């Protein structure tokens, strides 16, 4: 794993501008920890040390992704609102799905989250997105001081009715981390979920349209553009209709390819009102999409949901580097974005810099966390929002 460490030191840290403000002493301390773990052939300690190193800039796009390289207990936790819920588990314990995690080995979830802070990149919301894997990773719990020397992990769960139960797992009852925690965390109960399409449109007749945009990642190159042009035509065909744009779970991709839809939404007579649904899994290019909508629509945009997975100033672009010996992946950044004050620097790509605008801030107009995945309940909520936008 020394080779993995050298790849990070020579090919990631020198080109990631988010590390420019990190002190040498702080970096050296993390590097020394990682080197000791590598020499001791302690993979989990090595990965956790690298997580701590990559988390130093507090930049959500810069982090170690250990999911393919680690073993976790067969359970999937997700942060819903400010609580942690069990959303998937081995069949024998399925009755606990939906319960809230209260404690692990008697330690309150809040205490574990506080201890885990140093290993997690980005804002508090971003940490909630990527941090749930630590609750199911026995070696991480041991490193954090919540499972020292124990051969089992006990989870205290509470149902919606207040009933408290205990789930106990042997630390040997593990599977590959990415089975329950995808490398690109989308916030859906099914870890293997992927969007069926880039755009889904529901017509609420005279009330308006619901446009769901689950992802801006376009591995096929061209499919996203076609979908955006199609959605733009639909929006232009109803120039005065209120819209709900659903960006929940959209972790980003290429915002440049979304510009035709942005233009269709925001151009026209100036009467259209828009409700924008966001959550902590709304990230990267999806945040840029939200920022541009806010800049163009102003008070005609109502932001609904919870704080997104990043602020308006961050480092992005970059790419992924596979670490061959440990099996982990490093996500690094290469470009500065500042959609708060509209600043750019020498790292900002020209095509991005040409479109950066000062949005200042994106405050929620209405806090809302979905309580049910039932489609009928969600559509009723959308009808209420569209009615308000029509008023």
């Amino acid at each position: 794993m020394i080779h993995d460490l050298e790849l990070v030191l020579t090919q990631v840290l020198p080109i990631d501008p988010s590390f420019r403000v990190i002190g040498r002493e702080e970096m050296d301390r993390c590097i020394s920890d990682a080197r000791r773990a590598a020499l001791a052939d302690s993979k989990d300690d090595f990965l956790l040390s690298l997580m701590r190193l990559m988390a130093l800039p507090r930049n959500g796009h810069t982090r170690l992704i250990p999911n393919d390289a680690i073993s976790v207990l067969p359970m999937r936790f997700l942060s819903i609102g400010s609580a942690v819920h069990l959303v998937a588990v081995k069949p024998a314990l399925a009755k606990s799905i939906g319960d809230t995690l209260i404690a692990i080995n008697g330690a309150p979830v809040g205490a574990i989250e506080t201890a885990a802070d140093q290993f997690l990149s980005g804002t508090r919301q971003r940490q909630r997105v990527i941090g749930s894997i630590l609750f199911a990773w026995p070696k991480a719990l041991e490193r954090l001081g919540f499972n020292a020397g124990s051969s089992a992990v006990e989870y205290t769960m509470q149902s919606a009715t207040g009933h408290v139960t205990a789930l106990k797992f042997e630390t040997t009852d593990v599977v590959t981390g990415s089975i329950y925690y995808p490398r690109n965390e989308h916030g859906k109960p099914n870890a293997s979920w992927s969007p069926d399409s880039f755009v889904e449109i529901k017509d609420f007749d005279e009330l308006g349209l619901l446009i769901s945009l689950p992802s801006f990642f376009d591995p096929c190159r061209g499919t996203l553009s076609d979908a955006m042009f199609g959605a733009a035509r639909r929006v232009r065909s109803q120039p005065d209709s209120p819209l709900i744009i659903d960006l929940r779970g959209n972790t980003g991709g290429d915002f440049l390819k979304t510009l035709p839809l942005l233009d269709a939404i925001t151009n026209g007579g100036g009467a259209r009102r828009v409700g924008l649904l966001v959550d902590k899994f709304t990230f990267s290019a999806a945040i840029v999409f939200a920022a541009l909508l806010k800049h163009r629509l102003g008070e005609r945009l109502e932001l609904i949901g919870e704080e997104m997975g990043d602020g308006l100033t961050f480092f992005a672009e970059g790419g992924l580097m596979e670490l061959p010996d440990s099996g982990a992946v490093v996500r690094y950044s290469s470009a500065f974005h500042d959609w708060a004050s509209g600043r750019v620097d020498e790292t900002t790509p020209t095509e991005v810099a040409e479109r950066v605008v000062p949005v200042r801030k994106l405050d929620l107009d209405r806090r809302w966390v979905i309580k049910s995945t039932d489609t009928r309940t969600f559509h009723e909520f959308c009808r209420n929002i569209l009615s308000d936008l029509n008023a």
Side-chain angles (χ1 to χ4, degrees), residues 73-223:
L73 299 171
M75 55 201 320
R76 175 162 168 73
F77 290 109
L78 278 180
S79 177
I80 302 174
S82 59
V84 177
H85 291 260
L86 181 67
V87 297
V89 71
K90 58 184 181 180
L93 300 174
K95 64 181 181 180
S96 293
I97 289 177
D99 288 359
T100 301
L101 177 64
I102 301 300
I104 301 177
N105 289 338
V109 169
I112 300 172
E113 289 177 327
T114 298
D117 173 82
Q118 62 185 312
F119 297 97
L120 301 174
S121 299
T123 64
R124 183 68 193 94
Q125 283 292 74
R126 183 63 176 160
Q127 291 177 349
R128 287 187 171 117
V129 169
I130 62 177
S132 295
I133 193 171
L134 299 179
F135 299 130
W137 182 4
K139 291 293 185 179
L141 292 173
E142 183 177 329
R143 171 75 175 261
L144 293 172
F146 298 102
N147 197 47
S150 175
S151 62
V153 184
E154 184 173 281
Y155 295 86
T156 304
M157 310 297 301
Q158 186 175 51
S159 71
T161 60
H163 182 62
V164 175
T165 58
L167 304 181
K168 194 168 186 177
F169 291 80
E170 296 297 319
T171 55
T172 54
D173 183 12
V174 291
V175 298
T176 301
S178 54
I179 293 176
Y180 281 88
Y181 298 90
R183 284 178 16 173
N184 185 35
E185 182 56 77
H186 43 64
K188 304 293 188 299
N190 181 3
S192 62
W193 173 89
S194 62
D196 294 326
S197 63
F198 287 111
V199 180
E200 296 178 6
I201 299 178
K202 177 171 175 55
D203 194 334
F204 286 88
D205 301 319
E206 72 283 353
L207 288 177
L209 300 175
L210 165 65
I211 302 176
S212 298
L213 304 173
S215 177
F216 294 150
F217 285 108
D218 188 13
C220 298
R221 296 189 178 183
T223 308

Side-chain angles (χ1 to χ4, degrees), residues 23 71 73 296:
S71 296
L73 299 171
R296 296 186 188 187

Side-chain angles (χ1 to χ4, degrees), residues 241-261:
S241 291
L243 304 174
I244 293 178
I245 309 296
D246 189 357
L247 286 179
R248 293 172 304 137
N250 187 323
T251 58
D254 188 346
F255 86 88
L256 295 172
K257 292 181 180 178
T258 72
L259 293 177
L261 177 57

